[in-house]
Amino acid sequence: MTTDPARRPTNPHRHDRGCLRIVLAAPLTLLTLIAAYFCRLAMTIRPSGSWDDDAYGGIVLSCVVTLAAAGSAVVLWVLPSVRRVMGWGWIAPAVVLGVAAAVRWAVAAG
């Protein structure tokens, strides 16, 4: 008995996984882009001196928004149904941006 590849039963969940990946990629990508924008903003703000409270406030606010967006992406990814479909590559950029924002916040506060 030979098995013809054309006659093999297809995996019915394979199509569903592709659709689910597309649906879940949108919020993960959007949250990562928001985190990237505000992380870049936090990195490019340069205070004029130790008296420049507005610049330090902008850095802190940008870091908070970055951490909130990256944290939201991580919380979404931690859900078991999402983790099954989306690999580490989808969440790694958000984690890196969150760590960079936390370091920038610590340096700006210090």
Side-chain angles (χ1 to χ4, degrees):
M1 179 174 176
T2 61
T3 58
D4 183 13
R7 291 187 156 279
R8 272 192 238 161
T10 60
N11 186 353
H13 301 292
R14 187 175 192 176
H15 178 69
D16 292 341
R17 271 192 148 173
C19 292
L20 186 59
R21 182 172 290 163
I22 290 170
V23 169
L24 293 173
L28 281 176
T29 303
L30 182 62
L31 288 169
T32 302
L33 288 174
I34 291 169
Y37 175 78
F38 282 98
C39 187
R40 182 180 180 277
L41 189 61
M43 298 296 178
T44 57
I45 295 174
R46 300 281 180 234
S48 299
S50 60
W51 48 267
D52 196 357
D53 292 333
D54 290 337
Y56 286 111
I59 292 170
V60 169
L61 180 62
S62 296
C63 290
V64 167
V65 173
T66 301
L67 289 170
S72 298
V74 169
V75 167
L76 177 64
W77 184 81
V78 167
L79 297 172
S81 59
V82 178
R83 263 186 301 144
R84 263 190 303 257
V85 178
M86 311 298 277
W88 277 101
W90 284 94
I91 198 62
V95 171
V96 169
L97 290 166
V99 169
V103 169
R104 176 64 171 144
W105 191 357
V107 169

